[in-house]
Amino acid sequence: MPDPKKDTKYAEVPTDPGTTPVTGKGEDEVVGLKATMSLTNGITIIVGSIIGSGIFVSPSGVLKYTGSPGMALIVWTVSGLFSMIGAYCYAELGCMITKTGADYAYIMVTFGPFLAFIRLWVECMIVRPCSQAIVALTFSTYILKPFFVTCDAPDESIRLLAAVCICFLTFVNCWNVRWATFVQDSFTYAKLLALVIIIGTGFFQISQGKTEHFNFDNTERDFTKIMLSFYSGLFAYNGWNYLNFIIEELKDPVKNLPRAIGISCLLVTVVYVLTNVAFFTTLSPAEILSSEAVAVTFGDQLYGVMSWIIPVFVAMSTFGGVNGILLTSSRLFYAGAMEGQMPEILTMIQVDKNTPAPAVLFVGLLSLVYLTSSNIGVLINYVGFATWLSIGAAVVCIPVLRYYEPDLPRPIKVNMIWPIVYILATIVITVVPMFADPVATGYGTLVILSGVPVYFIFVAWKNKPRVVQNFINAATGFLQKLFIVLRPN
């Protein structure tokens, strides 16, 4: 196992961002990622990344596999608690290994480059671009809803608008980190306002005695299908670990990381459960299952001429979600490239903007590829298996490092019962649904295994023929000049 104490690449983030080595901009300026994000920025990044499309598309997915509103609310609550336990475990890892890349960095330190690459491959090739495509498609569906009141919007229009959304936010993230965080802050407040309106309406409905749908009638008896419902529930909470991916850009990460994670996860869990309660005060299970846009159906029944505000707010919510995924995903590509496990061009920083422009462009392009499919339900199940298998592997790092590296500094030290509970729950969530949906998990397994030959051919094989090396160097040099980027030391 690599020794993290001797691995300077995983040393703690410097408290003074000015200590980053100079790489070609003069003695007073540096090329590199800088710690510019406050605690508030951290909270809005997590909340903004979590509250994207999930709460607006997952209610029907959870209800489909649970069968009743009562069981659906239990799944939403348990999913939130499960995410909070994972976030608590990540707080220890993030404060111990304060390096951009999050669980990729943790697995690299604990298990070495091979398993770290498999984690990187899964996250980069499936989870992040697929998640971004899902959120962008949801953005398009909701923003087009007012223009197609009596029918569904054309599939081509939805995918084209989703592509425009991804391309625009890719530009913003390439241009300025502060612009990206401003977008994140603004749209996070907008999405919380939308959910507050829905929750407030739900409380009013309850005060009027609208509680007939709160029951356990028709609850699913098949345990494997109940477990499959967690893919939709946990998808809605996906993003609680995203701040760990950009920890080098967070001020005072040892103090602000656990605070941001704790506040965000608690806030989102309460908001999600209350939002689903609000939906069930008005919509029957049949109405939720038949609706592609649950929040819009809810608004149409209650807000009359003002029903347009719901699709607008939801579109703003998902727009911010796309930005949050793009902002953090590009840093994962950057971290992998810094370890020599992704193309060298992805390590480079734009000299004028101090943004990882090549990595941002790469994740944007991958997300566009996933827009070839507009079936959100299939994409969610596809992402779910790979996501929770990978995150569970990262949490395994806690007991392993406790055993092999007991003297590592741990500003936060969680009780070992929580990693054990999380690991066992992850095994159940990933193994049991194999019996309910073997095709989706089979595809997920194949994509994970496809990373094995990629690792040995492109990463482990160092002595490539000179002609191949020359081509790689020439391509890297061309792209470096095209983007005006330099590699930080």
Side-chain angles (χ1 to χ4, degrees), residues 149-203:
V149 179
T150 60
C151 64
D152 295 332
D155 185 66
E156 293 79 5
S157 300
I158 292 174
R159 286 192 283 175
L160 182 60
L161 187 56
V164 171
C165 170
I166 291 172
C167 291
F168 174 74
L169 288 174
T170 298
F171 164 75
V172 169
N173 279 269
C174 285
W175 192 257
N176 194 307
V177 172
R178 291 189 186 277
W179 282 17
T181 54
F182 174 77
V183 168
Q184 196 65 27
D185 292 352
S186 302
F187 283 91
T188 295
Y189 300 139
K191 69 182 68 178
L192 286 175
L193 177 60
L195 293 173
V196 166
I197 292 172
I198 292 173
I199 291 169
T201 304
F203 279 126

Side-chain angles (χ1 to χ4, degrees), residues 156 241 291 303 309 334 357 364 480:
E156 293 79 5
N241 60 328
S291 174
Y303 298 142
I309 66 173
Y334 169 85
Q480 186 174 0

Side-chain angles (χ1 to χ4, degrees), residues 92-339:
E92 173 175 329
L93 290 167
C95 291
M96 178 172 57
I97 305 171
T98 50
K99 186 69 178 177
T100 289
D103 35 31
Y104 168 69
Y106 314 148
I107 293 174
M108 175 71 77
V109 169
T110 309
F111 300 113
F114 174 68
L115 289 182
F117 176 81
I118 297 300
R119 170 65 181 124
L120 180 70
W121 178 258
V122 169
E123 190 77 10
C124 290
M125 304 309 294
I126 308 175
V127 176
R128 293 308 184 91
C130 193
S131 296
Q132 186 155 287
I134 292 169
V135 180
L137 287 168
T138 307
F139 162 79
S140 303
T141 300
Y142 273 89
I143 205 169
L144 290 174
K145 200 68 178 175
F147 302 100
F148 296 88
V149 179
T150 60
C151 64
D152 295 332
D155 185 66
E156 293 79 5
S157 300
I158 292 174
R159 286 192 283 175
L160 182 60
L161 187 56
V164 171
C165 170
I166 291 172
C167 291
F168 174 74
L169 288 174
T170 298
F171 164 75
V172 169
N173 279 269
C174 285
W175 192 257
N176 194 307
V177 172
R178 291 189 186 277
W179 282 17
T181 54
F182 174 77
V183 168
Q184 196 65 27
D185 292 352
S186 302
F187 283 91
T188 295
Y189 300 139
K191 69 182 68 178
L192 286 175
L193 177 60
L195 293 173
V196 166
I197 292 172
I198 292 173
I199 291 169
T201 304
F203 279 126
F204 176 78
Q205 290 287 88
I206 291 174
S207 72
Q208 301 298 305
K210 303 290 186 179
T211 58
E212 62 270 21
H213 300 311
F214 293 101
N215 55 62
F216 287 86
D217 295 346
N218 301 314
T219 297
E220 179 61 58
R221 303 296 181 185
D222 187 339
F223 180 69
T224 62
K225 290 186 177 179
I226 296 289
M227 289 298 100
L228 201 58
S229 72
F230 279 97
Y231 278 175
S232 291
L234 290 172
F235 171 78
Y237 287 96
N238 194 20
W240 53 260
N241 60 328
Y242 281 11
L243 189 62
N244 293 59
F245 284 90
I246 55 174
I247 193 169
E248 286 187 88
E249 296 166 83
L250 181 68
K251 297 175 182 177
D252 196 359
V254 170
K255 180 175 72 175
N256 286 334
L257 177 66
R259 288 182 178 180
I261 289 175
I263 294 171
S264 303
C265 288
L266 181 61
L267 173 64
V268 171
T269 301
V270 172
V271 167
Y272 274 10
V273 173
L274 292 180
T275 300
N276 277 276
V277 168
F279 287 151
F280 285 121
T281 63
T282 303
L283 304 176
S284 68
E287 288 173 315
I288 291 177
L289 289 173
S290 63
S291 174
E292 289 187 356
V294 176
V296 170
T297 305
F298 177 83
D300 287 343
Q301 292 197 17
L302 295 178
Y303 298 142
V305 295
M306 293 300 293
S307 62
W308 59 268
I309 66 173
I310 294 299
V312 169
F313 273 123
V314 173
M316 294 174 70
S317 169
T318 50
F319 189 81
V322 174
N323 184 72
I325 296 171
L326 186 61
L327 176 67
T328 56
S329 298
S330 58
R331 274 57 177 181
L332 176 61
F333 284 79
Y334 169 85
M338 288 294 288
E339 291 300 318

